[in-house]
Amino acid sequence: MDFEMGVEVEALRRELRDLVAHHVPSDYLGAFTDDPADLEMAQGFCRLLADRGLLCPAWPGEWGGRDASPWEQAAVREEMWAHHEPRGAQYMGVNWVGPTIMRHGTREQQGLHLPPIARGEVIWCQGFSEPNAGSDLASLQTMARRDGDGWRVSGQKIWTSYATMAQWCFLLARTSREERKQQGLTIFLLPMAAAGIDVRPIATMIGPHHLNEVFFDGVWVTDADVLGAVGDGWRVVQEVLSFERVGIARYARCERLLIWAPAALGAEWDDLPEDLHGRWARMVMHARRARLLAYRVVDLQSRGQVRPGDAAAYRIAVTRLDQESAQVLMDIIGFAALGEGEGLRFRRAVEDHWRYSISATVASGSIEMQRILLARALMAAS
Amino acid sequence: MNIELSDEAEEYGRQARRALGSAGGDRLAQQAEADPHARGALVDPVFEALGAWELDPRAGSEELEAGAALCRSAGWWALAYPVAERLCRPRDLDVDGLVVIGPGPPAAPVGGLRMAWAAVSLDGWRAVCAASPLRGPVRKSGYVVGLEVGSFERGGQGDVALGLVLPCWTLLGMLDRAMSLTRAHIAAREQFGQPLAAFQGVQFQLTDAEVERLGFEALATHALWSIEAGRADAVDDALALRLAAIEAADTVFRVCHQLHGAIGFCDETTLSWVSRASVPLRRLPLNLAGTGAALTRRLGRRGLSGLFGPNDEPSPTLPALRPERR
């Protein structure tokens, strides 16, 4: 056995940390704050990564990547999420929009969309969820009706991250009503600048500029904007979800904050209640546990295998870690002054982590769906 | 990265499980309970045939991983025999096995066997010891007896991690079995006209238990590698594993009993035997609270190794854990 990632991955990790240290402000907490400088920083950082082939390392060299191994991809996910995702909204284009276009797009679509994603110059949003179609996505009602040699899209999407700043939308809409609700769905690559689109931000406790409603009122798209075959959208969406098999490396941020805590508190660390030291140690163990569960999925991926139950188990463990570690860290900062310098940066990072952790079991698909998947896999194996 | 046991170790574990199954399987635990002093004789021929006691987990990764796989298979059958403890035998002492002891009165599930034992404390003090005679019914004691410990000497630092990790592999085998039995039960048992497995409330409990079992398995493999690689923080890793193991066992057995209903407490179900057999492993050498406290003490301000740790901090001053001679 060997739990070391190897010299190549460690070199990549050092390169990423070096870039973060030199280009990401030490008080950076994500691209989507009230300060526009954070978004600007993220966009600049993406270009920096792109110049080094690090923005989409998993992509083939032909499209601006470097054919990175699943372990190198894991290291990129870990380092970016641990440092509050300095790629901003780019992960969506890089992780699954690009790969899906590579697989199902026409040469024209590939030529139009892939180079800007690889250069970090474009932001995508995902038009999936609707007010009455969340976990039950196939129940969506947004319609695209034939109109001459194109389509007219009407309907409403919700919980659409980055819609206020996105140039393109990866939209799933109904193009016909069939016997099964999974049939008659089609993917459109829709320009957000098109007439008839109204984006309304949703105020949330998580933070600004994240979630939006998007209304489509007879938005015109052409056949050239259809990805794959008309009516074949559900199959494409299943593939999209498979690109997100491991999901966000939430454990990396949890571990960074937990390990940072003693240094941030300095002498005050020793004055914490004994019970809190114990809860901290337990969370450190749970962060490792979640990381090792993620590595099981990556290990399978590296051998071309998929076990949906393992991916679901990881998602359940890591979201629980996200929320429980946030609670422990909030309790820790409650006992310390942390009014300036490193202490203040730590306090703000913990508060940000806590706010985001609330959504961990909902974002990217509810945890109940993961439990259903895992139960299904378990019983099928019986 | 190579995060799984070797194919050879896995195959050895499968062979061991088959051999123990052929020798009686679940009946072995029942026969041992009926005649506790014969529990060694029941399984000796199987272990001889498997060459179990020729394995030296300290000799290298192959034998260490084979030993772990053997422990897991013994756990599957809730075998009433200290396989892990025997595999931990230090080669420099004239003993049959080794147990880790906590700060409380030394005890281990080694009663009813005519064997000499070594005991090692968490901070590496080691002594030769003798097991006290069995007292009372073993269905209550779980073969746990007090240890009469001789003089402690330094020199057991290399035994602690191994002595903590291999019994966890036995416990892991028990969790494998409990989950397997429960899946079969909820698939077969019908209520309100459908199998229990069709109820989402049942499914979600099952997934809670499975996530715990999988996490435990992942840490068990990592802690084994930490020993293999001779890492300085192997004891930290072993304690982290033990904490996860006890948490997982608590959840898995709670869920498995709940989903079995009253029948799960009855000796006619295998779950009852596996659940009881797990108790000594969960309580000794340290229970959940004791393991958490020991891990917390060791981690101090450093944390575990990982993406960002450990911190560059000196090891905390540990309170004296050296047990007194009893």
Side-chain angles (χ1 to χ4, degrees), chain A residues 28 36 64 149 151 246:
Chain A
Y28 175 79
D149 57 352
W151 303 81
V246 189

Side-chain angles (χ1 to χ4, degrees), chain A residues 2 17 255 259 282 286 288, chain B residues 2 237 247 307-308 311:
Chain A
D2 184 6
R17 286 196 186 179
E255 185 185 323
I259 294 294
R282 179 173 176 269
H286 275 270
R288 172 184 280 177
Chain B
N2 176 10
D237 297 338
E247 284 189 357
L307 300 176
F308 296 95
N311 284 317

Side-chain angles (χ1 to χ4, degrees), chain A residues 149-212:
Chain A
D149 57 352
W151 303 81
R152 292 278 176 193
V153 179
S154 294
Q156 180 191 354
K157 296 291 175 181
I158 196 166
W159 319 127
T160 316
S161 299
Y162 322 126
T164 51
M165 60 194 76
Q167 289 89 36
W168 290 89
C169 179
F170 192 96
L171 181 81
L172 184 64
R174 188 165 296 287
T175 42
S176 63
R177 298 209 180 271
E178 308 290 342
E179 192 177 334
R180 292 179 65 239
K181 60 187 177 184
Q182 288 84 359
Q183 297 169 325
L185 297 171
T186 301
I187 302 279
F188 293 91
L189 307 177
L190 185 144
M192 289 296 283
I197 297 179
D198 182 19
V199 178
R200 299 179 196 169
I202 303 170
T204 72
M205 63 186 289
I206 295 171
H209 313 301
H210 245 279
L211 300 178
N212 303 277

Side-chain angles (χ1 to χ4, degrees), chain B residues 116-230:
Chain B
W117 295 92
V120 65
S121 68
L122 286 176
D123 47 359
W125 291 85
R126 201 171 59 172
V128 172
C129 59
S132 302
L134 280 168
R135 285 200 188 124
V138 294
R139 62 182 291 115
K140 275 189 168 178
S141 70
Y143 304 92
V144 172
V145 293
L147 300 173
E148 292 166 24
V149 179
S151 299
F152 281 97
E153 308 273 349
R154 291 297 284 176
Q157 288 88 346
D159 296 318
V160 181
L162 185 66
L164 287 169
V165 168
L166 282 188
C168 285
W169 280 84
T170 309
L171 186 57
L172 179 59
M174 293 178 180
L175 268 57
D176 295 339
R177 187 68 190 286
M179 288 296 292
S180 171
L181 292 166
T182 304
R183 290 203 308 266
H185 178 75
I186 64 173
R189 169 88 170 149
E190 292 197 0
Q191 293 282 275
F192 303 104
Q194 55 183 340
L196 291 178
F199 293 93
Q200 199 169 73
V202 168
Q203 292 173 6
F204 282 12
Q205 289 195 61
L206 193 71
T207 57
D208 285 347
E210 179 65 2
V211 169
E212 291 296 316
R213 192 195 66 84
L214 283 172
F216 170 16
E217 182 184 43
L219 283 167
T221 315
H222 180 271
L224 205 63
W225 164 75
S226 185
I227 295 170
E228 266 180 41

Side-chain angles (χ1 to χ4, degrees), chain A residues 302-322:
Chain A
S302 70
R303 289 183 273 142
Q305 297 173 24
V306 179
R307 281 204 302 251
D310 280 38
Y314 158 68
R315 295 281 293 276
I316 295 167
V318 82
T319 50
R320 194 177 295 164
L321 166 74
D322 217 51

